[in-house]
Amino acid sequence: MAGPFDLGGRVAIVTGGNGGIGLGMARALVTAGCAVSVWGRDAGKNAAAVAALSAGGASVDARLCDVADPGSVQEGFDAVLARFGRVDGVFANAGISGGGRRSFLEREPAEWRDAFAVNLDGVVNAFRAAGRHMAERAAGGDAFGRLVATSSVASILGAARNEHYGATKGALNALVRALAVELARHGVTANAILPGWIESDMTAGLMANPKFVANSLPRIPARRFGRPEDFGGIAVYLMSRASDYHTGQVLVIDGGYTVA
């Protein structure tokens, strides 16, 4: 008998899945038997991710996609359906950093728009395409779906000089709560994951700054920065039947940073 974390027969999309947290999630999902479509804007990184993920015979593909463009998202979603026949989960992980270089008082409107276009609208575009498909499947007697957004602890802490980034992530927290209520009738759950300081391409500059490391690392009870693989277990859990009754939540994974 298959265990509760066996994802055989399931199909997931991971946006921004060609590196960092997204790739860490994708690795765990394929290990649990899930077919995965990795979405990203860098063809080279997409190809490298597919090569790494499919090395053990897993069913994996990649799509070039700009999540801020609804047409690009729908085209990618339709391609995944054509390849795999269904989509059971979407891990909306693609995002851009705020940078933290400019004061709120000096921030240009374009910076706000760019951050929201990717970090919020990109998630909405992916979830809308998936939600429609999942609702249609549920109407045919196959009620199951998983929507997971990568938020940030910046959504619950004061993110000085990064307020636009924190605002996009706070909106994601509200979004998953609303979708959890609205889509529950279709067997769809919606949750958000809030990473703390994680080693990735996005944070490479900060991690190379001795002053940042000296100030931040002592504030993390785990006494290390997070790694992409730290998000594999939560990805498998949220994709599995074990999380059927777990929805509308924001799940902090930060080594204890926010409670220290």
Side-chain angles (χ1 to χ4, degrees):
M1 181 179 296
F5 301 108
D6 180 1
L7 302 183
R10 297 297 184 192
V11 179
I13 292 169
V14 183
T15 73
N18 59 15
I21 291 173
L23 185 57
M25 292 176 172
R27 286 184 188 278
L29 291 170
V30 298
T31 299
C34 191
V36 172
S37 181
V38 169
W39 290 12
R41 295 188 294 180
D42 185 318
K45 288 182 66 176
N46 282 1
V50 169
L53 295 171
S54 60
S59 186
V60 182
D61 81 351
R63 304 285 166 185
L64 284 172
C65 182
D66 178 1
V67 294
D69 178 357
S72 180
V73 169
Q74 191 61 57
E75 181 180 349
F77 194 87
D78 291 343
V80 174
L81 284 181
R83 164 74 189 275
F84 295 108
R86 62 187 291 125
V87 173
D88 298 289
V90 171
F91 290 79
N93 173 75
I96 59 176
S97 68
R101 294 181 296 272
R102 194 190 306 271
S103 164
F104 168 73
L105 304 179
E106 301 167 343
R107 191 163 315 283
E108 297 293 336
E111 290 183 83
W112 279 87
R113 289 193 294 270
D114 289 346
F116 276 85
V118 178
N119 293 355
L120 178 59
D121 296 349
V123 175
V124 170
N125 293 335
F127 281 0
R128 182 183 293 117
R132 288 169 175 164
H133 165 69
M134 293 168 182
E136 290 173 2
R137 251 195 13 245
D142 184 7
F144 181 92
R146 299 290 188 261
L147 303 178
V148 182
T150 299
S151 179
S152 169
V153 296
S155 68
I156 57 176
L157 297 175
R161 292 182 175 266
N162 222 359
E163 72 293 326
H164 57 322
Y165 177 80
T168 67
K169 297 303 187 176
L172 290 185
N173 299 350
L175 175 67
V176 298
R177 291 185 180 111
L179 294 182
V181 176
E182 180 175 346
L183 301 181
R185 70 195 69 183
H186 304 300
V188 177
T189 64
N191 294 284
I193 295 172
L194 279 59
W197 290 113
I198 311 301
E199 295 174 351
S200 70
D201 290 344
M202 185 180 291
T203 61
L206 282 173
M207 299 297 176
N209 184 329
K211 183 177 180 180
F212 167 80
V213 173
N215 289 337
S216 300
L217 197 56
R219 296 177 58 191
I220 303 173
R223 290 298 185 267
R224 69 172 176 84
F225 294 117
R227 308 180 187 108
E229 56 265 31
D230 289 321
F231 296 84
I234 193 66
V236 171
Y237 166 69
L238 290 177
M239 188 68 195
S240 74
R241 298 308 306 243
S243 64
D244 276 353
Y245 206 58
H246 195 162
T247 192
Q249 300 300 305
V250 293
L251 308 170
V252 178
I253 300 180
D254 67 350
Y257 180 77
T258 56
V259 296

